[in-house]
Amino acid sequence: MAGKDSGNLKTVRLWRDAALRARKLRSNLRQLTLSAAGGCSGVGPDQIDSPDAPQLVLPANIGDIEVLNLGNNGLEEVPEGLGSALGSLRVLVLRRNRFARLPPAVAELGHHLTELDVSHNRLTTLGAEVVSALHELRKLNLSHNQLPALPAQLGSLAHLEELDVSFNRLAHLPDSLSCLCRLRTLDVDHNQLTAFPGQLLRLAALEELDVSSNRLRGLPEDISALRALKILWLSGAELGTLPEGFCELASLESLMLDNNRLQALPAQFSHLQRLKMLNLSSNLFEEFPAALLPLAGLEELYLSRNQLTSVPSLISGLGRLLTLWLDNNRIRYLPDSIVELTGLEELVLQGNQIAVLPDNFGQLSRVGLWKIKDNPLIQPPYEVCMKGIPYIAAYQKELAHSQPAVQPRLKLLLMGHKAAGKTLLRHCLTEDRVEASEGGDKEKGYSPPPPPVSKGIEVTSWTADASRGLRFIVYDLAGDESYEVIQPFFLSPGALYVLVVNLATYEPLRFPSTVGSFLHRVGARVPHAVVCIVGTHADLCAERELEEKCLDIHRQIALQEKRDAEGLSRLAQVVDEALARDFELRSASPHAAYYGVSDKNLRRRKAHFQYLLNHRLQILSPVLPVSCRDPRQLQRLRDKLLSVAEHREIFPNLHRVLPRSWQVLEELHFQPPQAQRLWLSWWDSARLGLQAGLTEDRLQSALSYLHESGKLLYFEDSPALKEHVFHNLTRLIDILNVFFQRDPSLLLHKLLLGTNGEGEGDGESPLVMALPPPSQDLLRATQLHHYVEGFLLHGLLPAHAIRLLLKPHVQAQQDLQLLLELLEKMGLCYCLNKPKGKPLNGSTAWYKFPCYVQNEVPHAEAWINGTNLAGQSFVAEQLQIEYSFPFTFPPGLFARYSVQINSHVVQRSDGKLQIFAYRGKVPVVVSYRPAKGVLQPDTLSIASHASLPNIWTAWQAITPLVEELNVLLQEWPGLHYTVHILCSKCLKRGSPNPHAFPGSCRRKKRLYEYLVTSHHFKILEG
């Protein structure tokens, strides 16, 4: 909490300092911003492109104006009398207009104009006379135009210090540019240069130079003449080598050489002793450049996306290093000396082949940005590393206290549609008769066990190879749709997924529901997961039919993967095109794709697309047909699973190394007498920890690992649950199964059985107790029947009915309260009438299970359609944020989300697909719309409305709801979705297909302010 407060205080101070600086600037400079709308700068970008844009008229008495901003007005000519009226003008901004050449009137300002910004126009020429007249100019911005060349007169601007001609069509620079002896900053990136301009070598005062994204292919040897250069951008310049003279740029402090073709650095590169930041990402380095090691002053080093296989031990010499990015290489190990870089604040190692981290890694305690995923980690295990440096330090400290232990254990999940044969397959695989039935004669006498009845989700421990100690923890995930809300809890990295398909009933048209949807679900939750397809009931198919069905499944999987990959590639291409247009151009109009999204966020999005493309599911082929009546087929499947599990490249973390004390602690939790209990207190676990050799201060990291690896549940971040350890997962799963078996007769039977063991009057109403016993039984049964109906239709249950359902799992009231807290934490239910932080004072607590709600919409349907409950249209602006899921919608997400937002809303009314509630006095609606075919994806939207003067109250209302949804979506790293704000004008008209505008959340307020005052006619794609 203290960290959060200090962060808020820091933010307040930054805003305060910025406001003071702005106030001081306004007091020192007399400024004027004009727009064609007459007096305000909020003209919409669509007016820029309008041929009927109004003319701009200068107001009177502006002779003392020093700064004039005429940007964003769609001007082709400047207002009449500009030069004569502005005798004191120093800064003129003409950006984002439609000038084809510099206006002649600008020449009249030449004797006092020091800054001119004509960026984002349509300039094809500048005009020699106008340029030569600007002899006092110190800063000139000509970026984002269509200039094929620069006039020679540019060299006569003797006072020019900053020149930006980026994003033009320049194939060369004028020779006169070398006369700009005071030029300190030059930006020529994104042009059409084919060689480094020799004219620049005579610019002795140049301190910052950007020639990125030009096809230079090489640098001149005498680049050493630029001795004052401090910042040099050479990104994407197609450089293969650096000349020796480059190493004489002794003043260099920041150097960007990313996205080139460099394989090595000159030996003299170490002479650049003032270098603080170096970016060598996306090159072709196979070995760590030795020339970097003597650069003792280096603070930031980026070597991402190369082909490095190792890091030298001498890297410890870079003692001032704060940032080190080595992601997406081929690094197998890190040197022990890396722990000496104690000043590191960012360490990015994801996407390598690192299995073991050096000892004493916890010394890197200042690391805040830490990325290590997509490595075959075994020491520490992946679950420890993902928690951060403090947990790695605790693991290594514990490993030093106790002996290491290797646990070859693998999680195996059986998935598939209902009646696919998962439960029978699990029984046949895990029992000993399979091992004993290998001979032909024995095969004839073999008969499978009778088909077991699925009890929902079940867990079995299977020792597949006793000689090697290999054990599978088999999760049989129920195929019924009612279990979808809890299935994602069991999908985790490092597991083997077996997708079971009933070949007897399989048809090609059923592929999306029986195979495709499951693959999408696993890929979204666990990118790069290993999936084995098993076809059951093979004995019920003819040989040719069996072959055709297996081939069809294989073919459709390939087609689905191809479609998904092509779709992601297209989305990545859209991001590339947006990046090529530059941030300022994207921000010019909401019509632009990725309006307002920064380059950094776009690159992050592109990296995510690339991650999804590189981490497709590992689907083992071919489809393996199995009959539970054939022991040879079962043994073949068994051998297949064993070979896959022991494959070092597929499951490198199978042989993870744990401290012996952690392993003993786990075993103690599952031994009598505590094994039978539903949960243990923290102190109970602490006593077990002492038996395992763990002191209290070392217990936290052990429990955290056991939680992350799925051995038990321990919520260290929950005030209500952190004092308890839920170690009996089998009983917890049995409890979950009670809530998701939608059988009214079974539920009523459980309730009636529960009442038989209740004390007299426990949970009963006074009316029931006042009746004679036979009447009491009848009325009690009627009341319980109403409970079942209310549960199956509306998801409602009182706390005492939940207790009846959970007998004999729950006996004490404390068990019930703790369990209900756990169910709320998991997002399965919430309490309807529990005051925040207050007891219920004896009244019955009612709980809502959103996944059971059957009514399609809440009572507030009229509001959603644009009218209030009285039938009158709202005179208000509607704000709606829409999340779109083109590939798959996470199962159970809407139900879990409805639980997560409960603490933020009041007076809610739930429907199966919509939630109506209030945030204070502001109405909010959350809506889920399932997909209808390929062209209309699943969408989840969050909406509110308010009158225009109070529209920001709507923003404040939905902001915490958006944040809660974003937190839930982080659980699905392989999921692709887009976020849009819908056009308020379309919503107000009741349009069935409102325009959708993409953009970052930080800029959505600015976009919305614009949308409620204007309108667009172009649909944008995110």
Side-chain angles (χ1 to χ4, degrees), residues 109-158:
L109 306 170
H111 62 285
H112 46 75
L113 197 65
T114 60
E115 294 185 21
L116 176 60
D117 185 350
V118 206
S119 61
H120 296 280
N121 276 277
R122 303 174 181 177
L123 299 178
T124 56
T125 183
L126 294 181
E129 295 182 359
V130 178
V131 172
S132 59
L134 302 174
H135 46 77
E136 294 295 326
L137 211 57
R138 287 174 170 77
K139 184 176 180 179
L140 177 58
N141 190 344
L142 300 169
S143 65
H144 295 88
N145 280 286
Q146 303 168 24
L147 295 170
L150 297 175
Q153 288 76 9
L154 197 64
S156 65
L157 306 181

XYZ file of all heavy atoms in Angstrom, residues 109-158:
379
model
N 8.041 36.969 -42.920
C 8.347 36.830 -41.493
C 9.811 36.483 -41.257
O 10.224 36.267 -40.124
C 7.469 35.725 -40.882
C 5.960 35.864 -41.088
C 5.240 34.582 -40.652
C 5.427 37.052 -40.298
N 10.554 36.399 -42.314
C 11.911 35.881 -42.230
C 12.849 36.640 -41.334
O 13.771 36.065 -40.758
N 12.641 37.956 -41.178
C 13.596 38.733 -40.400
C 13.481 38.520 -38.905
O 14.342 38.964 -38.151
C 13.428 40.230 -40.719
C 12.077 40.763 -40.368
N 10.960 40.488 -41.126
C 11.661 41.536 -39.331
C 9.907 41.083 -40.583
N 10.301 41.726 -39.493
N 12.380 37.829 -38.422
C 12.264 37.577 -36.987
C 11.804 36.162 -36.648
O 11.810 35.767 -35.494
C 11.309 38.577 -36.330
C 10.024 38.783 -37.083
N 9.012 37.872 -37.076
C 9.618 39.810 -37.876
C 8.016 38.323 -37.832
N 8.355 39.506 -38.327
N 11.408 35.353 -37.636
C 10.928 33.994 -37.375
C 12.097 33.062 -37.030
O 13.070 32.975 -37.782
C 10.183 33.456 -38.608
C 9.286 32.233 -38.383
C 8.122 32.579 -37.461
C 8.773 31.717 -39.721
N 11.984 32.378 -35.879
C 13.056 31.467 -35.455
C 12.653 29.997 -35.525
O 13.531 29.127 -35.582
C 13.494 31.786 -34.020
O 12.368 31.626 -33.148
C 14.039 33.198 -33.917
N 11.351 29.694 -35.497
C 10.896 28.313 -35.570
C 9.736 28.199 -36.544
O 8.797 28.998 -36.483
C 10.448 27.794 -34.189
C 11.567 27.698 -33.183
C 11.106 27.064 -31.879
O 10.068 26.350 -31.908
O 11.760 27.291 -30.839
N 9.805 27.182 -37.423
C 8.759 26.959 -38.419
C 8.470 25.463 -38.500
O 9.377 24.646 -38.689
C 9.190 27.471 -39.787
C 8.211 27.213 -40.956
C 6.862 27.881 -40.701
C 8.820 27.694 -42.275
N 7.196 25.112 -38.324
C 6.763 23.711 -38.382
C 5.739 23.562 -39.502
O 4.618 24.056 -39.416
C 6.143 23.299 -37.042
C 5.776 21.808 -37.006
O 5.823 21.154 -38.068
O 5.439 21.311 -35.911
N 6.133 22.884 -40.588
C 5.251 22.639 -41.726
C 5.124 21.124 -41.946
O 4.920 20.660 -43.070
C 5.786 23.321 -43.003
C 4.629 23.617 -43.971
C 6.507 24.598 -42.695
N 5.229 20.362 -40.871
C 5.145 18.899 -40.976
C 3.716 18.454 -41.282
O 2.748 19.195 -41.071
C 5.630 18.256 -39.682
O 4.818 18.657 -38.601
N 3.597 17.238 -41.797
C 2.293 16.625 -42.080
C 1.464 17.487 -43.033
O 0.298 17.790 -42.779
C 1.520 16.366 -40.787
C 2.170 15.381 -39.872
N 2.083 14.020 -40.060
C 2.949 15.557 -38.779
C 2.758 13.409 -39.105
N 3.300 14.328 -38.329
N 2.078 17.891 -44.135
C 1.372 18.581 -45.194
C 1.556 17.789 -46.482
O 1.813 16.573 -46.428
C 1.892 20.021 -45.327
C 1.218 20.966 -44.340
O 0.125 21.464 -44.578
N 1.877 21.219 -43.205
N 1.453 18.497 -47.634
C 1.599 17.819 -48.920
C 2.676 18.487 -49.754
O 2.589 18.593 -50.974
C 0.267 17.840 -49.668
C -0.874 17.202 -48.890
C -2.210 17.370 -49.585
N -3.311 16.779 -48.805
C -4.589 16.835 -49.147
N -4.949 17.473 -50.263
N -5.513 16.287 -48.392
N 3.711 18.953 -49.078
C 4.760 19.702 -49.750
C 5.485 18.827 -50.764
O 5.956 17.732 -50.448
C 5.776 20.228 -48.730
C 5.262 21.197 -47.659
C 6.389 21.568 -46.707
C 4.659 22.436 -48.301
N 5.575 19.332 -51.984
C 6.392 18.693 -53.006
C 7.570 19.573 -53.388
O 8.520 19.113 -54.027
C 5.551 18.390 -54.258
O 4.956 19.610 -54.723
C 4.456 17.381 -53.937
N 7.501 20.842 -53.011
C 8.605 21.776 -53.214
C 8.516 22.849 -52.132
O 7.449 23.075 -51.552
C 8.528 22.422 -54.612
O 9.658 23.268 -54.785
C 7.254 23.237 -54.783
N 9.645 23.492 -51.872
C 9.672 24.503 -50.821
C 9.622 25.924 -51.366
O 9.003 26.798 -50.766
C 10.934 24.327 -49.953
C 11.003 23.031 -49.138
C 12.289 23.005 -48.321
C 9.806 22.910 -48.222
N 10.264 26.162 -52.497
C 10.358 27.521 -53.026
C 11.650 28.176 -52.563
O 11.814 28.480 -51.377
N 12.539 28.379 -53.507
C 13.869 28.893 -53.171
C 13.800 30.263 -52.511
O 14.529 30.547 -51.545
C 14.731 28.944 -54.435
N 12.939 31.154 -53.014
C 12.881 32.518 -52.470
C 12.394 32.526 -51.038
O 12.900 33.275 -50.202
C 11.970 33.376 -53.353
C 12.483 33.592 -54.765
C 11.562 34.480 -55.585
O 10.520 34.906 -55.021
O 11.867 34.731 -56.757
N 11.400 31.690 -50.739
C 10.868 31.649 -49.380
C 11.933 31.125 -48.415
O 12.146 31.682 -47.333
C 9.607 30.773 -49.310
C 9.091 30.687 -47.884
C 8.532 31.312 -50.239
N 12.638 30.079 -48.821
C 13.650 29.496 -47.941
C 14.778 30.478 -47.664
O 15.214 30.667 -46.526
C 14.202 28.192 -48.553
C 15.395 27.677 -47.750
C 13.115 27.137 -48.611
N 15.256 31.124 -48.705
C 16.383 32.052 -48.525
C 16.006 33.251 -47.664
O 16.888 33.886 -47.072
C 16.891 32.523 -49.889
O 15.847 33.172 -50.610
N 14.719 33.554 -47.562
C 14.297 34.696 -46.754
C 14.268 34.388 -45.263
O 14.219 35.303 -44.437
C 12.908 35.159 -47.199
N 14.311 33.131 -44.902
C 14.190 32.743 -43.490
C 15.572 32.702 -42.834
O 15.968 31.695 -42.226
C 13.506 31.372 -43.388
C 12.112 31.265 -44.027
C 11.598 29.836 -44.002
C 11.133 32.200 -43.326
N 16.299 33.812 -42.908
C 17.697 33.792 -42.499
C 17.896 33.773 -40.992
O 19.008 33.558 -40.521
C 18.444 34.982 -43.119
C 17.707 36.276 -43.002
N 17.654 36.998 -41.851
C 16.956 36.953 -43.929
C 16.924 38.087 -42.038
N 16.485 38.086 -43.313
N 16.834 33.983 -40.191
C 16.966 33.923 -38.731
C 16.476 32.577 -38.159
O 16.490 32.376 -36.950
C 16.161 35.057 -38.079
C 16.678 36.429 -38.386
C 18.067 36.650 -37.804
O 18.351 36.095 -36.715
O 18.877 37.359 -38.448
N 16.085 31.679 -39.028
C 15.472 30.421 -38.585
C 16.475 29.552 -37.818
O 17.620 29.370 -38.245
C 14.947 29.642 -39.798
C 13.715 28.759 -39.579
C 12.543 29.570 -39.047
C 13.340 28.060 -40.874
N 16.023 29.044 -36.677
C 16.851 28.151 -35.865
C 16.309 26.708 -35.843
O 17.057 25.775 -35.598
C 16.944 28.669 -34.425
C 17.843 29.896 -34.296
C 17.812 30.483 -32.892
N 18.843 31.492 -32.717
C 18.787 32.726 -33.175
N 17.708 33.117 -33.859
N 19.774 33.579 -32.982
N 14.999 26.566 -36.088
C 14.394 25.232 -36.046
C 13.405 25.101 -37.195
O 12.503 25.929 -37.328
C 13.685 25.011 -34.700
C 13.105 23.632 -34.517
C 12.509 23.477 -33.118
C 11.907 22.087 -32.920
N 11.346 21.931 -31.557
N 13.553 24.059 -38.018
C 12.705 23.851 -39.182
C 12.261 22.391 -39.228
O 13.087 21.474 -39.218
C 13.469 24.197 -40.467
C 12.725 23.968 -41.791
C 11.434 24.766 -41.854
C 13.627 24.318 -42.977
N 10.945 22.186 -39.268
C 10.375 20.843 -39.316
C 9.609 20.670 -40.616
O 8.564 21.286 -40.835
C 9.446 20.617 -38.122
C 9.009 19.151 -38.000
O 9.150 18.367 -38.935
N 8.496 18.790 -36.841
N 10.125 19.805 -41.495
C 9.510 19.517 -42.796
C 9.116 18.044 -42.915
O 8.905 17.553 -44.027
C 10.489 19.873 -43.918
C 10.944 21.335 -44.000
C 12.116 21.479 -44.971
C 9.794 22.231 -44.417
N 8.984 17.376 -41.802
C 8.741 15.930 -41.832
C 7.342 15.609 -42.348
O 6.443 16.443 -42.335
C 8.927 15.341 -40.438
O 7.946 15.843 -39.553
N 7.194 14.342 -42.801
C 5.903 13.814 -43.254
C 5.301 14.666 -44.374
O 4.179 15.145 -44.285
C 4.921 13.685 -42.090
C 5.353 12.684 -41.065
N 6.166 13.008 -40.005
C 5.097 11.352 -40.945
C 6.391 11.941 -39.275
N 5.756 10.908 -39.820
N 6.089 14.848 -45.413
C 5.626 15.502 -46.620
C 5.985 14.631 -47.813
O 6.230 13.420 -47.646
C 6.221 16.909 -46.723
C 5.475 17.914 -45.850
O 4.370 18.317 -46.167
N 6.096 18.306 -44.737
N 6.042 15.216 -49.000
C 6.321 14.441 -50.214
C 7.478 15.056 -50.995
O 7.481 15.077 -52.217
C 5.054 14.384 -51.074
C 3.847 13.796 -50.362
C 2.546 14.001 -51.110
O 2.536 14.171 -52.334
N 1.426 13.996 -50.387
N 8.452 15.572 -50.271
C 9.564 16.279 -50.897
C 10.523 15.308 -51.573
O 11.096 14.431 -50.922
C 10.321 17.089 -49.842
C 9.542 18.231 -49.171
C 10.321 18.779 -47.997
C 9.251 19.326 -50.194
N 10.746 15.473 -52.882
C 11.739 14.625 -53.559
C 13.155 15.184 -53.448
O 14.129 14.461 -53.664
C 11.262 14.649 -55.014
C 10.589 15.973 -55.164
C 9.982 16.303 -53.833
N 13.267 16.477 -53.103
C 14.589 17.106 -53.004
C 14.463 18.350 -52.129
O 13.369 18.871 -51.895
C 15.117 17.471 -54.384
N 15.603 18.834 -51.657
C 15.664 20.058 -50.865
C 16.383 21.133 -51.675
O 17.348 20.833 -52.393
C 16.410 19.821 -49.546
C 15.780 18.815 -48.582
C 16.684 18.599 -47.371
C 14.397 19.284 -48.141
N 15.951 22.389 -51.586
C 16.612 23.452 -52.369
C 18.006 23.767 -51.821
O 18.273 23.635 -50.626
C 15.658 24.644 -52.196
C 14.992 24.403 -50.894
C 14.847 22.918 -50.786
N 18.857 24.219 -52.724
C 20.222 24.575 -52.316
C 20.225 25.737 -51.331
O 21.142 25.868 -50.509
C 21.049 24.915 -53.556
N 19.193 26.599 -51.409
C 19.126 27.775 -50.522
C 19.017 27.393 -49.052
O 19.217 28.240 -48.188
C 17.938 28.651 -50.906
C 18.104 29.414 -52.204
C 17.922 28.528 -53.424
O 17.499 27.369 -53.302
N 18.262 29.059 -54.597
N 18.733 26.121 -48.787
C 18.656 25.684 -47.388
C 19.995 25.902 -46.689
O 20.050 26.158 -45.482
C 18.257 24.200 -47.328
C 17.736 23.662 -45.997
C 16.442 24.346 -45.611
C 17.523 22.160 -46.092
N 21.066 25.827 -47.447
C 22.397 26.012 -46.870
C 22.688 27.431 -46.447
O 23.693 27.676 -45.757
N 21.857 28.371 -46.830
C 22.086 29.777 -46.452
C 21.512 30.117 -45.085
O 21.690 31.233 -44.605
C 21.451 30.696 -47.503
O 20.035 30.544 -47.511
N 20.803 29.176 -44.448
C 20.204 29.433 -43.138
C 21.276 29.238 -42.072
O 21.361 28.207 -41.399
C 19.021 28.500 -42.895
C 17.921 28.511 -43.979
C 16.786 27.570 -43.604
C 17.395 29.919 -44.193
N 22.100 30.246 -41.910
C 23.309 30.133 -41.100
C 23.027 29.888 -39.622
O 23.905 29.392 -38.910
C 24.154 31.403 -41.277
